[in-house]
Amino acid sequence: MQILKGTVKTWLNKRYGFIATKDREDIFAHAAVIGDVDLIPGETVYFSMGESKGRECAVDVKGPGVKPREPRVKKNKPKREEPKREVPKREPVESRDSGRDRDRN
């Protein structure tokens, strides 16, 4: 497998970008193929050519232009406090049947 040298042209937050080389057109690179890393635009990288979904792309990307992807930190939104609602107290209600049963006996 031939090792190629290139410069990271672009790297987007969507986790893909392009590597510029002297001999070829820009080479597509995607994080799903190269691993959980970010590429630094303007930095030199070394890579091999591979294929993903029927398309040529960079694989085994190494060098100073590769940095491990920082873990995503979930931003905890403060919980919204619900206003406390006071429930009115109900007075006990006497059953209407209770009086009828006494009259029948």
Side-chain angles (χ1 to χ4, degrees):
M1 203 181 279
Q2 183 182 6
I3 303 295
L4 302 169
K5 179 180 177 182
T7 304
V8 179
K9 187 173 182 180
T10 58
W11 186 253
L12 305 172
N13 285 336
K14 292 183 179 185
R15 316 265 330 265
Y16 72 90
F18 294 90
I19 300 171
T21 62
K22 290 181 182 177
D23 304 336
R24 306 171 140 231
E25 297 178 6
D26 294 345
I27 308 298
F28 180 74
H30 194 281
V33 178
I34 65 172
D36 198 22
V37 297
D38 282 329
L39 300 181
I40 304 166
E43 292 289 326
T44 301
V45 291
Y46 301 91
F47 61 96
S48 301
M49 290 302 296
E51 193 172 300
S52 175
K53 297 183 181 180
R55 188 175 167 188
E56 261 194 338
C57 65
V59 296
D60 297 327
V61 181
K62 309 255 186 272
V66 179
K67 71 173 186 173
R69 183 147 177 92
E70 294 179 18
R72 286 183 151 180
V73 178
K74 290 185 178 179
K75 295 179 183 177
N76 292 330
K77 293 181 181 177
K79 291 185 178 179
R80 199 175 79 189
E81 290 188 30
E82 295 288 328
K84 291 185 179 180
R85 292 185 271 169
E86 290 189 30
V87 178
K89 292 185 178 180
R90 294 178 138 186
E91 296 293 324
V93 178
E94 288 186 32
S95 172
R96 294 182 184 185
D97 309 331
S98 60
R100 281 193 232 159
D101 291 341
R102 278 185 280 155
D103 294 341
R104 288 185 184 174
N105 290 335

